[in-house]
Amino acid sequence: METITSTLSSEDNKFTMLVPNRIHSIKNVFSFEQCRRLINDAEEAGFKPSAPSGGGHGQTPRTGARTSQFYVKDDLRLAEYIWKEIQDYVPSDLKSIKQVPYMNSVLKGDEYTPVCVNEHIRFYKYDPGQFILKHDDYRMSRFRYDEKEDQYYEQMSFLTIVMYLNDDFNEGCTKFWTQYSEEGIKSHCRFVRDIEFTDADLSIRPETGKVVIHDHMVQHEGESPTKSTKYILRTDVMHEKKVSSNKVEEKFKKNQTYGEWHRHFEPSCFNYTE
């Protein structure tokens, strides 16, 4: 398997660009001790089995594309800390990812600015034999109101954050199909067979405290560890744009509650978006 790598910045090689502005990694964002504390906290709170996805990719309605365990915690303080550590490495614009319907057709993402990390933190635990198959990531959005500016904003996620909380296991890499959702390629979701049965062209080996940031729409999968347990933290980079009060009211009519997160699944990929 070919690994696409070119280290671009910092004397200690902390930052590595894997696919320009679509997939990159940052080493040592958290220390071993910080990661161990997060694992212990999640274990104490308790992991739950992932719900069946409803089939697909050889799965039956009673099984799913994800067989790992999860724990979710809303933690603004942790999100702010992560943002402080990674914000200098977040792409300043969205020009390198494929355009999606949530972007203005003229501005093509320039209306959005990266502002924070999503505090809806998801922890995943993979025991030997547990995995998540090839998928893209759902995006999240919400509205906020700035009283000082008397201005509404819509926040939307376009980039995934994955942090590896340990690396004392065998196998368990994250694999990517980097050609998926490239500009100029018409392939839509996982039903397109030109990449469905191809091998991944990028594999990332987990390292404790390392963060990988990638475009939601790049197809990827989490390999099963063959010995010991793998733990990861997943959240999102949040972008925001100004919106009119009329648009906010329109969303309210569709039963979207102000200030609450709304998940967006690609319509034809509902069972394949995690």
XYZ file of all heavy atoms in Angstrom, residues 171-262:
763
model
N -1.828 -3.857 14.627
C -2.690 -3.469 13.497
C -3.518 -2.236 13.900
O -3.025 -1.368 14.579
C -3.563 -4.644 13.058
C -2.802 -5.910 12.713
C -1.812 -5.753 11.592
O -2.047 -4.890 10.710
O -0.812 -6.474 11.581
N -4.791 -2.158 13.454
C -5.660 -1.055 13.861
C -5.384 0.271 13.187
O -5.666 1.336 13.757
N -4.861 0.245 11.962
C -4.584 1.492 11.240
C -5.881 2.138 10.751
O -6.936 1.512 10.713
C -3.684 1.212 10.043
S -1.998 0.721 10.492
N -5.788 3.412 10.367
C -6.873 4.101 9.680
C -6.515 4.150 8.198
O -5.446 4.642 7.836
C -7.061 5.534 10.201
O -7.225 5.503 11.618
C -8.286 6.179 9.568
N -7.409 3.628 7.347
C -7.147 3.569 5.910
C -8.016 4.587 5.177
O -9.179 4.780 5.523
C -7.430 2.163 5.380
C -6.484 1.099 5.907
C -6.812 -0.258 5.292
C -5.826 -1.322 5.728
N -6.144 -2.648 5.123
N -7.450 5.201 4.146
C -8.155 6.208 3.364
C -8.125 5.859 1.878
O -7.130 5.324 1.372
C -7.509 7.582 3.540
C -7.689 8.187 4.904
C -6.796 7.919 5.926
C -8.759 9.033 5.160
C -6.956 8.481 7.176
C -8.935 9.596 6.407
C -8.027 9.314 7.422
N -9.235 6.194 1.200
C -9.320 6.157 -0.256
C -9.272 7.616 -0.694
O -10.290 8.301 -0.780
C -10.615 5.472 -0.689
C -10.566 3.984 -0.560
C -10.418 3.077 -1.571
C -10.672 3.210 0.653
N -10.420 1.794 -1.063
C -10.573 1.848 0.298
C -10.836 3.539 2.012
C -10.616 0.825 1.243
C -10.888 2.530 2.948
C -10.775 1.183 2.562
N -8.067 8.128 -0.948
C -7.879 9.575 -1.074
C -8.518 10.157 -2.330
O -8.776 11.359 -2.397
C -6.383 9.932 -1.067
O -5.747 9.335 -2.205
C -5.721 9.433 0.201
N -8.771 9.315 -3.364
C -9.372 9.850 -4.587
C -10.858 10.118 -4.430
O -11.465 10.796 -5.263
C -9.142 8.895 -5.768
C -9.935 7.588 -5.717
C -9.219 6.483 -4.971
O -8.566 6.740 -3.971
N -9.332 5.263 -5.471
N -11.466 9.596 -3.359
C -12.897 9.815 -3.166
C -13.160 11.287 -2.854
O -12.509 11.888 -2.005
C -13.424 8.947 -2.028
C -14.904 9.134 -1.798
C -15.832 8.521 -2.627
C -15.371 9.961 -0.786
C -17.179 8.706 -2.454
C -16.729 10.156 -0.595
C -17.623 9.529 -1.426
O -18.962 9.728 -1.258
N -14.121 11.881 -3.569
C -14.528 13.272 -3.390
C -13.441 14.277 -3.763
O -13.426 15.387 -3.269
C -14.989 13.535 -1.950
O -16.293 13.054 -1.768
N -12.544 13.896 -4.656
C -11.616 14.878 -5.203
C -12.364 15.799 -6.154
O -13.351 15.404 -6.775
C -10.480 14.193 -5.978
C -9.387 13.633 -5.106
C -8.221 13.106 -5.933
O -8.452 12.772 -7.102
O -7.105 13.038 -5.405
N -11.900 17.010 -6.299
C -12.479 17.925 -7.281
C -12.314 17.320 -8.675
O -11.270 16.767 -9.016
C -11.773 19.281 -7.224
C -12.219 20.149 -6.057
C -13.666 20.596 -6.186
O -14.261 20.422 -7.261
O -14.221 21.115 -5.203
N -13.375 17.400 -9.480
C -13.313 16.907 -10.844
C -13.702 15.461 -10.998
O -13.812 14.958 -12.114
N -13.934 14.760 -9.866
C -14.361 13.364 -9.934
C -15.838 13.292 -9.585
O -16.284 13.850 -8.587
C -13.540 12.489 -8.960
C -12.093 12.393 -9.469
C -14.143 11.100 -8.826
C -11.201 11.523 -8.646
N -16.611 12.626 -10.436
C -18.060 12.612 -10.281
C -18.572 11.497 -9.372
O -19.760 11.389 -9.142
C -18.718 12.494 -11.659
C -18.438 13.689 -12.568
C -19.109 13.517 -13.913
C -18.822 14.714 -14.813
N -19.472 14.564 -16.146
N -17.672 10.645 -8.883
C -18.091 9.528 -8.039
C -18.944 10.025 -6.889
O -18.592 10.995 -6.220
C -16.857 8.809 -7.485
O -16.050 8.330 -8.520
N -20.077 9.368 -6.669
C -20.961 9.746 -5.583
C -21.152 8.579 -4.629
O -21.601 7.512 -5.022
C -22.331 10.183 -6.090
C -23.283 10.496 -4.973
N -23.097 11.569 -4.137
C -24.384 9.852 -4.529
C -24.070 11.586 -3.238
N -24.861 10.558 -3.454
N -20.809 8.797 -3.406
C -20.942 7.866 -2.292
C -20.344 6.497 -2.618
O -19.637 6.308 -3.593
C -22.380 7.784 -1.790
S -23.484 6.703 -2.675
N -20.590 5.530 -1.777
C -19.897 4.254 -1.868
C -20.516 3.303 -2.887
O -20.022 2.195 -3.075
C -19.838 3.596 -0.497
C -21.200 3.290 0.049
C -21.116 2.839 1.485
N -20.307 1.635 1.582
C -19.566 1.361 2.638
N -19.506 2.197 3.638
N -18.890 0.258 2.704
N -21.618 3.708 -3.542
C -22.243 2.814 -4.503
C -21.490 2.804 -5.836
O -21.757 1.978 -6.688
C -23.700 3.222 -4.746
C -24.535 3.120 -3.507
C -24.915 4.258 -2.829
C -24.924 1.884 -3.010
C -25.673 4.176 -1.679
C -25.679 1.792 -1.863
C -26.060 2.938 -1.186
N -20.589 3.748 -6.031
C -19.852 3.822 -7.285
C -18.740 2.785 -7.259
O -17.893 2.789 -6.386
C -19.269 5.238 -7.481
C -18.486 5.308 -8.782
C -20.399 6.253 -7.512
N -18.741 1.889 -8.238
C -17.877 0.724 -8.180
C -16.441 0.997 -8.595
O -15.594 0.124 -8.464
C -18.453 -0.392 -9.065
C -19.845 -0.852 -8.638
C -19.891 -1.272 -7.183
N -21.213 -1.743 -6.787
C -21.576 -1.993 -5.539
N -20.733 -1.793 -4.560
N -22.790 -2.426 -5.261
N -16.142 2.200 -9.095
C -14.767 2.430 -9.525
C -13.798 2.460 -8.351
O -12.598 2.269 -8.521
C -14.640 3.703 -10.365
C -15.098 4.954 -9.627
O -15.632 4.823 -8.515
O -14.916 6.050 -10.174
N -14.302 2.709 -7.127
C -13.414 2.650 -5.972
C -13.908 1.653 -4.928
O -13.219 1.374 -3.963
C -13.252 4.029 -5.299
C -14.582 4.535 -4.739
C -12.628 5.026 -6.249
C -14.417 5.742 -3.840
N -15.106 1.100 -5.150
C -15.716 0.236 -4.135
C -14.819 -0.937 -3.740
O -14.715 -1.277 -2.581
C -17.060 -0.284 -4.647
C -17.804 -1.189 -3.671
C -18.373 -0.450 -2.469
O -18.395 0.783 -2.494
O -18.777 -1.115 -1.516
N -14.155 -1.535 -4.720
C -13.378 -2.731 -4.422
C -11.877 -2.504 -4.611
O -11.123 -3.448 -4.766
C -13.862 -3.894 -5.292
C -15.326 -4.211 -5.069
C -16.269 -3.921 -6.042
C -15.759 -4.751 -3.866
C -17.621 -4.196 -5.834
C -17.107 -5.019 -3.646
C -18.042 -4.743 -4.628
N -11.456 -1.270 -4.595
C -10.032 -0.973 -4.687
C -9.424 -0.941 -3.291
O -10.124 -0.785 -2.286
C -9.797 0.386 -5.373
O -10.426 1.420 -4.591
C -10.361 0.407 -6.775
N -8.097 -1.077 -3.239
C -7.394 -0.992 -1.965
C -7.213 0.468 -1.565
O -7.097 1.354 -2.423
C -6.016 -1.652 -2.073
C -6.111 -3.157 -2.242
O -7.096 -3.753 -1.737
O -5.196 -3.730 -2.868
N -7.192 0.708 -0.263
C -6.898 2.053 0.216
C -5.497 2.462 -0.237
O -4.608 1.619 -0.366
C -6.991 2.091 1.739
N -5.307 3.763 -0.499
C -3.998 4.228 -0.944
C -3.257 5.027 0.123
O -2.174 5.545 -0.121
C -4.115 5.044 -2.236
C -5.058 6.233 -2.094
O -5.724 6.345 -1.049
O -5.122 7.040 -3.034
N -3.826 5.116 1.312
C -3.153 5.795 2.421
C -3.510 5.075 3.711
O -4.685 4.824 3.982
C -3.581 7.264 2.497
C -3.115 8.063 3.719
C -1.597 8.165 3.736
C -3.745 9.449 3.731
N -2.512 4.748 4.495
C -2.722 4.080 5.770
C -1.977 4.845 6.855
O -0.787 5.131 6.701
C -2.222 2.629 5.716
O -2.452 1.959 6.939
N -2.677 5.186 7.937
C -2.071 5.940 9.031
C -1.991 5.051 10.265
O -2.998 4.518 10.729
C -2.871 7.214 9.345
C -2.877 8.144 8.127
C -2.298 7.935 10.562
C -3.680 9.401 8.314
N -0.796 4.904 10.783
C -0.575 4.112 11.982
C -0.832 4.988 13.218
O -0.258 6.074 13.347
C 0.867 3.598 12.011
C 1.306 2.982 13.339
C 0.583 1.707 13.655
N 0.875 1.258 15.021
C 0.246 0.265 15.630
N -0.717 -0.391 15.000
N 0.567 -0.083 16.848
N -1.710 4.560 14.116
C -1.988 5.354 15.322
C -0.740 5.585 16.173
O 0.088 4.690 16.328
C -3.005 4.483 16.075
C -3.691 3.696 15.011
C -2.605 3.383 14.021
N -0.623 6.800 16.687
C 0.410 7.162 17.642
C -0.267 7.941 18.766
O -1.056 8.853 18.505
C 1.483 8.045 16.993
C 2.269 7.368 15.886
C 3.269 8.328 15.252
O 3.845 9.165 15.983
O 3.464 8.253 14.021
N 0.038 7.598 20.000
C -0.606 8.234 21.143
C -0.466 9.754 21.071
O 0.638 10.284 20.922
C 0.008 7.725 22.460
O -0.142 6.305 22.517
C -0.678 8.351 23.656
N -1.601 10.459 21.155
C -1.594 11.921 21.157
C -1.576 12.566 19.793
O -1.602 13.792 19.683
N -1.555 11.746 18.721
C -1.541 12.312 17.364
C -2.954 12.596 16.888
O -3.865 11.793 17.092
C -0.842 11.367 16.386
C -0.821 11.892 14.951
C 0.179 11.174 14.080
C -0.280 9.807 13.651
N 0.664 9.190 12.680
N -3.131 13.721 16.229
C -4.412 14.111 15.646
C -4.326 14.020 14.131
O -3.321 14.420 13.537
C -4.788 15.553 16.064
C -5.840 16.148 15.126
C -5.314 15.573 17.493
N -5.369 13.463 13.526
C -5.523 13.488 12.073
C -6.749 14.335 11.759
O -7.814 14.128 12.339
C -5.703 12.065 11.499
C -6.019 12.130 10.001
C -4.449 11.226 11.735
N -6.590 15.299 10.877
C -7.698 16.141 10.419
C -7.952 15.806 8.959
O -7.018 15.818 8.147
C -7.378 17.637 10.573
C -7.091 17.971 12.038
C -8.531 18.493 10.048
C -6.690 19.424 12.268
N -9.200 15.497 8.629
C -9.497 15.147 7.234
C -10.893 15.615 6.840
O -11.780 15.787 7.677
C -9.343 13.641 6.999
C -10.337 12.773 7.717
N -11.614 12.539 7.226
C -10.252 12.073 8.875
C -12.264 11.729 8.049
N -11.471 11.432 9.062
N -11.064 15.799 5.553
C -12.348 16.145 4.945
C -13.361 15.047 5.279
O -13.081 13.860 5.114
C -12.114 16.258 3.432
C -13.369 16.473 2.619
O -14.456 16.635 3.194
O -13.246 16.460 1.370
N -14.552 15.433 5.753
C -15.599 14.456 6.071
C -15.831 13.461 4.941
O -16.145 12.294 5.177
C -16.944 15.179 6.288
C -17.094 15.838 7.612
N -16.362 15.516 8.734
C -17.951 16.814 8.018
C -16.756 16.266 9.748
N -17.709 17.054 9.342
N -15.727 13.946 3.692
C -16.165 13.155 2.548
C -15.109 12.202 1.999
O -15.367 11.463 1.051
C -16.638 14.085 1.428
C -17.846 14.933 1.803
S -19.314 13.939 2.130
C -19.700 13.373 0.476
N -13.912 12.197 2.566
C -12.900 11.237 2.136
C -13.248 9.878 2.734
O -13.382 9.740 3.948
C -11.493 11.656 2.592
C -10.473 10.614 2.164
C -11.119 13.006 2.020
N -13.415 8.863 1.893
C -13.759 7.536 2.392
C -12.620 6.972 3.234
O -11.441 7.088 2.875
C -14.035 6.598 1.218
C -15.304 6.924 0.461
C -16.439 5.973 0.814
O -16.400 4.799 0.506
N -17.454 6.512 1.447
N -12.976 6.359 4.371
C -11.960 5.813 5.269
C -12.564 4.692 6.102
O -13.783 4.560 6.189
C -11.409 6.917 6.174
C -12.457 7.646 6.968
N -13.339 8.555 6.404
C -12.786 7.590 8.290
C -14.144 9.035 7.334
N -13.844 8.454 8.491
N -11.707 3.901 6.714
C -12.179 2.857 7.608
C -11.188 2.650 8.740
O -9.998 2.969 8.612
C -12.418 1.543 6.865
C -11.180 0.792 6.431
C -11.529 -0.547 5.765
O -12.613 -0.636 5.163
O -10.718 -1.482 5.848
N -11.694 2.147 9.852
C -10.869 1.852 11.008
C -10.642 0.359 11.112
O -11.580 -0.408 11.311
N -9.383 -0.070 10.936
C -9.042 -1.480 11.027
C -9.232 -2.007 12.448
O -9.073 -1.280 13.430
C -7.573 -1.698 10.661
C -7.268 -1.853 9.211
C -5.824 -2.278 9.021
O -4.960 -1.906 9.834
O -5.567 -2.992 8.045
N -9.489 -3.269 12.536
C -9.579 -3.932 13.828
C -8.184 -4.152 14.405
O -7.272 -4.564 13.687
C -10.284 -5.280 13.665
O -10.129 -6.072 14.813
N -7.989 -3.899 15.701
C -6.736 -4.312 16.324
C -6.741 -5.826 16.495
O -7.801 -6.430 16.706
C -6.765 -3.599 17.685
C -8.215 -3.425 17.991
C -8.893 -3.219 16.653
N -5.586 -6.437 16.387
C -5.514 -7.888 16.540
C -5.045 -8.292 17.926
O -5.145 -9.455 18.297
C -4.574 -8.505 15.491
O -3.274 -7.902 15.617
C -5.105 -8.262 14.090
N -4.542 -7.347 18.687
C -4.106 -7.609 20.050
C -4.254 -6.340 20.868
O -3.836 -5.275 20.441
C -2.654 -8.088 20.070
C -2.160 -8.476 21.459
C -0.720 -8.964 21.398
C -0.223 -9.332 22.788
N 1.192 -9.810 22.761
N -4.878 -6.431 22.030
C -5.145 -5.293 22.908
C -6.240 -4.401 22.314
O -6.820 -4.704 21.263
C -3.870 -4.491 23.194
O -2.932 -5.321 23.850
N -6.504 -3.282 22.960
C -7.651 -2.436 22.636
C -7.207 -1.083 22.118
O -6.240 -0.494 22.628
C -8.536 -2.247 23.897
O -8.993 -3.527 24.329
C -9.723 -1.348 23.610
N -7.895 -0.591 21.101
C -7.623 0.718 20.508
C -8.659 1.727 20.989
O -9.859 1.444 20.999
C -7.662 0.620 18.977
C -7.520 1.965 18.258
C -7.442 1.800 16.748
C -8.757 1.426 16.118
N -8.721 1.453 14.647
N -8.207 2.921 21.373
C -9.103 3.999 21.781
C -8.837 5.236 20.919
O -7.675 5.614 20.701
C -8.863 4.390 23.236
C -9.191 3.338 24.261
C -8.228 2.417 24.677
C -10.460 3.276 24.856
C -8.522 1.458 25.629
C -10.757 2.325 25.815
C -9.783 1.417 26.203
O -10.074 0.471 27.161
N -9.916 5.853 20.431
C -9.769 7.113 19.712
C -10.804 8.121 20.198
O -11.828 7.759 20.768
C -9.907 6.941 18.181
C -11.332 6.536 17.802
C -8.892 5.960 17.635
C -11.586 6.579 16.301
N -10.484 9.374 19.980
C -11.415 10.480 20.239
C -11.759 11.087 18.895
O -10.875 11.309 18.067
C -10.745 11.510 21.152
C -11.461 12.815 21.514
C -10.867 13.384 22.812
C -11.370 13.876 20.416
N -13.036 11.350 18.667
C -13.451 11.969 17.411
C -14.321 13.188 17.684
O -15.218 13.173 18.514
C -14.240 10.974 16.545
C -14.521 11.559 15.146
C -15.953 11.396 14.719
N -16.323 12.459 13.802
C -17.375 12.417 13.006
N -18.160 11.367 12.998
N -17.671 13.433 12.244
N -14.013 14.285 16.971
C -14.855 15.469 16.988
C -14.697 16.169 15.638
O -14.300 15.546 14.659
C -14.533 16.373 18.192
O -15.426 17.482 18.215
C -13.104 16.864 18.182
N -15.001 17.461 15.554
C -15.008 18.164 14.269
C -14.436 19.568 14.408
O -14.539 20.200 15.473
C -16.446 18.317 13.736
C -17.271 17.064 13.905
O -17.179 16.183 13.050
O -18.000 16.974 14.913
N -13.855 20.061 13.320
C -13.573 21.496 13.212
C -14.870 22.175 12.797
O -15.522 21.741 11.841
C -12.488 21.784 12.155
C -12.305 23.293 11.981
C -11.168 21.125 12.537
N -15.264 23.206 13.511
C -16.495 23.913 13.182
C -16.182 25.203 12.419
O -15.324 25.981 12.829
C -17.302 24.249 14.443
C -17.711 23.029 15.261
S -18.571 21.745 14.313
C -19.971 22.665 13.656
N -16.872 25.370 11.278
C -16.809 26.603 10.504
C -18.123 27.353 10.706
O -19.150 26.738 11.007
C -16.619 26.303 9.017
C -15.262 25.781 8.671
N -14.814 24.534 9.077
C -14.248 26.333 7.950
C -13.582 24.345 8.623
N -13.221 25.403 7.934
N -18.102 28.658 10.527
C -19.359 29.392 10.636
C -19.439 30.512 9.600
O -18.431 30.989 9.087
C -19.570 29.944 12.043
C -18.710 31.097 12.444
C -19.086 31.657 13.833
O -19.780 30.963 14.593
O -18.655 32.776 14.146
N -20.687 30.887 9.296
C -20.943 31.984 8.370
C -22.106 32.806 8.922
O -22.927 32.324 9.714
C -21.305 31.450 6.985
C -22.621 30.670 6.947
C -22.979 30.221 5.534
C -24.309 29.450 5.529
N -24.691 29.018 4.166
N -22.176 34.058 8.497
C -23.297 34.907 8.891
C -24.550 34.479 8.145
O -24.487 34.116 6.961
C -22.987 36.375 8.571
C -21.878 36.982 9.414
C -21.660 38.442 9.056
C -20.589 39.068 9.930
N -20.371 40.502 9.588
N -25.679 34.508 8.823
C -26.956 34.206 8.185
C -27.992 35.222 8.631
O -27.869 35.836 9.690
C -27.458 32.776 8.521
C -26.569 31.732 7.905
C -27.572 32.576 10.023
N -29.018 35.399 7.823
C -30.087 36.334 8.161
C -31.062 35.695 9.136
O -31.172 34.474 9.225
C -30.844 36.746 6.897
O -31.527 35.631 6.355
N -31.770 36.515 9.866
C -32.773 36.005 10.814
C -33.878 35.257 10.065
O -34.479 34.325 10.600
C -33.380 37.156 11.626
O -33.966 38.119 10.764
N -34.144 35.654 8.806
C -35.165 34.958 8.007
C -34.802 33.490 7.786
O -35.663 32.615 7.846
C -35.335 35.638 6.645
C -35.992 37.001 6.764
O -36.674 37.267 7.746
N -35.775 37.842 5.777
N -33.524 33.226 7.546
C -33.102 31.849 7.330
C -33.243 31.042 8.618
O -33.635 29.878 8.591
C -31.657 31.786 6.834
C -31.208 30.360 6.571
C -29.851 30.275 5.919
C -29.484 28.817 5.645
N -28.166 28.666 5.018
N -32.925 31.670 9.732
C -33.058 30.979 11.016
C -34.510 30.623 11.266
O -34.843 29.501 11.672
C -32.510 31.851 12.157
C -32.727 31.155 13.502
C -31.035 32.141 11.952
N -35.411 31.563 10.993
C -36.845 31.311 11.177
C -37.326 30.196 10.253
O -38.163 29.378 10.626
C -37.630 32.593 10.902
C -37.403 33.673 11.950
C -38.047 34.993 11.572
O -38.693 35.043 10.501
O -37.887 35.965 12.317
N -36.774 30.151 9.042
C -37.136 29.095 8.091
C -36.744 27.726 8.631
O -37.484 26.757 8.514
C -36.428 29.353 6.758
C -36.691 28.311 5.697
C -35.902 28.583 4.427
O -35.577 29.758 4.175
O -35.602 27.615 3.718
N -35.567 27.654 9.243
C -35.115 26.395 9.821
C -35.992 25.991 11.001
O -36.285 24.814 11.208
C -33.662 26.509 10.277
C -32.657 26.619 9.148
C -32.527 25.300 8.400
C -31.412 25.391 7.364
N -31.246 24.124 6.609
N -36.424 26.973 11.783
C -37.288 26.677 12.919
C -38.572 25.987 12.457
O -39.095 25.088 13.113
C -37.647 27.949 13.685
C -36.503 28.530 14.473
C -36.557 29.827 14.936
C -35.375 27.773 14.750
C -35.519 30.377 15.670
C -34.322 28.308 15.477
C -34.386 29.616 15.937
N -39.078 26.419 11.316
C -40.310 25.829 10.789
C -40.113 24.363 10.421
O -41.067 23.603 10.327
C -40.785 26.629 9.564
C -41.251 28.042 9.896
C -41.628 28.798 8.631
C -42.031 30.230 8.957
N -42.345 31.009 7.731
N -38.861 23.967 10.195
C -38.555 22.579 9.864
C -38.205 21.781 11.121
O -37.570 20.739 11.062
C -37.401 22.521 8.860
C -37.730 23.156 7.519
C -36.547 23.066 6.564
C -36.886 23.701 5.216
N -35.738 23.644 4.277
N -38.589 22.338 12.268
C -38.412 21.662 13.556
C -36.964 21.552 14.009
O -36.619 20.693 14.816
C -39.042 20.260 13.535
C -40.535 20.312 13.289
O -41.227 21.162 13.845
N -41.037 19.420 12.450
N -36.090 22.400 13.478
C -34.727 22.442 13.990
C -34.694 23.451 15.126
O -35.074 24.605 14.954
C -33.730 22.829 12.905
C -32.289 22.863 13.426
C -31.290 23.027 12.304
O -31.576 22.720 11.163
N -30.111 23.516 12.634
N -34.255 23.023 16.289
C -34.267 23.876 17.473
C -33.029 24.751 17.528
O -31.915 24.286 17.308
C -34.336 22.999 18.748
O -35.449 22.125 18.636
C -34.470 23.859 19.988
N -33.210 26.013 17.849
C -32.100 26.954 17.936
C -31.089 26.491 18.983
O -31.455 26.118 20.102
C -32.613 28.351 18.306
C -31.513 29.332 18.594
C -30.738 29.859 17.566
C -31.218 29.723 19.903
C -29.723 30.749 17.824
C -30.203 30.616 20.172
C -29.447 31.125 19.128
O -28.432 32.010 19.394
N -29.807 26.513 18.632
C -28.756 26.174 19.569
C -28.470 24.691 19.690
O -27.475 24.302 20.300
N -29.315 23.837 19.119
C -29.081 22.404 19.214
C -28.412 21.887 17.942
O -28.639 22.410 16.850
C -30.398 21.649 19.442
C -30.997 21.877 20.823
C -32.190 20.980 21.073
O -32.578 20.227 20.152
O -32.735 21.034 22.195
N -27.621 20.839 18.104
C -26.929 20.252 16.960
C -27.898 19.494 16.064
O -28.819 18.855 16.537
C -25.838 19.289 17.420
C -24.661 19.945 18.062
C -24.272 19.857 19.367
C -23.709 20.800 17.419
N -23.148 20.600 19.574
C -22.766 21.194 18.410
C -23.551 21.276 16.112
C -21.696 22.031 18.117
C -22.493 22.120 15.830
C -21.576 22.484 16.827
N -27.655 19.596 14.766
C -28.437 18.863 13.776
C -27.461 18.050 12.931
O -26.460 18.578 12.431
C -29.210 19.843 12.885
C -29.999 19.185 11.804
N -31.089 18.395 12.049
C -29.843 19.204 10.447
C -31.582 17.956 10.905
N -30.846 18.421 9.926
